[in-house]
Amino acid sequence: MSQDTDLRAALGAPPEPDFELELPPGWARHRPDRAEQEAMTASVRARAMQAHRPDLLAQAQSMLRESFESMRRGDVRAFFTPTEPGDDTLWMPASILASVRRAQPDVSLDDVVRHAIREYGATALDDDRRIVRFERDRLESMGDESMRVLTVVYLTPMPGTHRRAALQLTVTLARPLDVEADDPLVDGMRVLFDACASTLRWVRPRP
């Protein structure tokens, strides 16, 4: 639970709405809380020991710790990954983060959208124009390895906030250096996650 959520409850303000998405097969929703962090750390530890690679454990634990701390600082409400074992699970080097972006005294959400249109070529995801979509591609290094990371962002106002808060879905797609951003495989993942984002629906807040 974020500090903003706690403040809203203390002031008696109605809670912000929650949301649901249709996900790829085998994907699940997770909370960026301590319990989830400990569960994922235990899973990584078990896999490292099973592979007889204790040398990777410290690095993996550090990456998990930094990732969860970053999510909590960024007002991330949920993240989605392929975690359910099964023959039909769609495993891919990708994830979805769901965070809340809030208007600032000197920067409105409309300013954010205008900047995204001007700098990143943002467009409406579908005909009803409720979701704005844009993407960025960058080079990232992890130890001695480098990869290309495509980030696709979907931004939509949250009901009841008078356009002072928006839900941001951030899809991260990692790929080798020799795979271009317009590769058919990458385009297929774009289509998949565009379809997932288009299923966004608002629901009562989760307890």
Side-chain angles (χ1 to χ4, degrees):
M1 184 176 294
S2 69
Q3 291 181 349
D4 181 76
T5 302
D6 291 337
L7 179 60
R8 292 177 65 87
L11 295 176
E16 291 174 339
D18 199 2
F19 67 96
E20 292 179 348
L21 291 174
E22 297 295 330
L23 298 171
W27 283 53
R29 175 174 179 156
H30 306 275
R31 292 171 57 90
D33 55 19
R34 300 291 181 186
E36 188 66 43
Q37 181 179 345
E38 292 172 1
M40 295 187 72
T41 300
S43 177
V44 167
R45 182 184 300 109
R47 289 199 298 268
M49 295 299 101
Q50 186 177 19
H52 306 291
R53 295 296 305 272
D55 55 305
L56 298 179
L57 181 56
Q59 180 181 2
Q61 288 177 321
S62 176
M63 291 174 58
L64 271 176
R65 182 172 59 254
E66 292 175 2
S67 176
F68 272 81
E69 289 175 354
S70 176
M71 285 192 288
R72 287 190 282 265
R73 289 194 304 270
D75 204 2
V76 172
R77 300 299 176 86
F79 66 97
F80 306 83
T81 56
T83 55
E84 300 298 322
D87 294 337
D88 62 342
T89 295
L90 190 56
W91 299 103
M92 64 177 74
S95 63
I96 307 173
L97 297 183
S99 58
V100 178
R101 293 196 64 164
R102 303 188 186 281
Q104 303 299 316
D106 56 341
V107 180
S108 69
L109 291 178
D110 289 335
D111 291 333
V112 172
V113 171
R114 282 191 288 267
H115 179 266
I117 293 173
R118 183 173 61 252
E119 297 296 327
Y120 307 120
T123 58
L125 176 62
D126 44 30
D127 291 340
D128 63 12
R129 307 177 69 84
R130 70 187 180 113
I131 300 176
V132 172
R133 178 197 186 279
F134 60 94
E135 60 182 58
R136 292 170 288 179
D137 195 35
R138 65 186 186 278
L139 177 68
E140 284 196 4
S141 297
M142 183 179 300
D144 297 331
E145 298 184 1
S146 297
M147 67 184 71
R148 300 295 304 185
V149 177
L150 178 68
T151 302
V152 185
V153 177
Y154 307 91
L155 195 65
T156 186
M158 297 180 69
T161 65
H162 306 287
R163 299 182 67 82
R164 300 295 297 171
L167 178 70
Q168 177 172 303
L169 301 177
T170 304
V171 176
T172 303
L173 304 169
R175 67 186 194 279
L177 295 177
D178 59 349
V179 177
E180 299 295 333
D182 59 355
D183 185 271
L185 178 61
V186 179
D187 278 338
M189 290 191 287
R190 280 190 179 95
V191 171
L192 171 66
F193 288 111
D194 282 357
C196 291
S198 70
T199 67
L200 173 71
R201 55 189 178 275
W202 301 103
V203 298
R204 292 181 180 275
R206 295 173 183 268

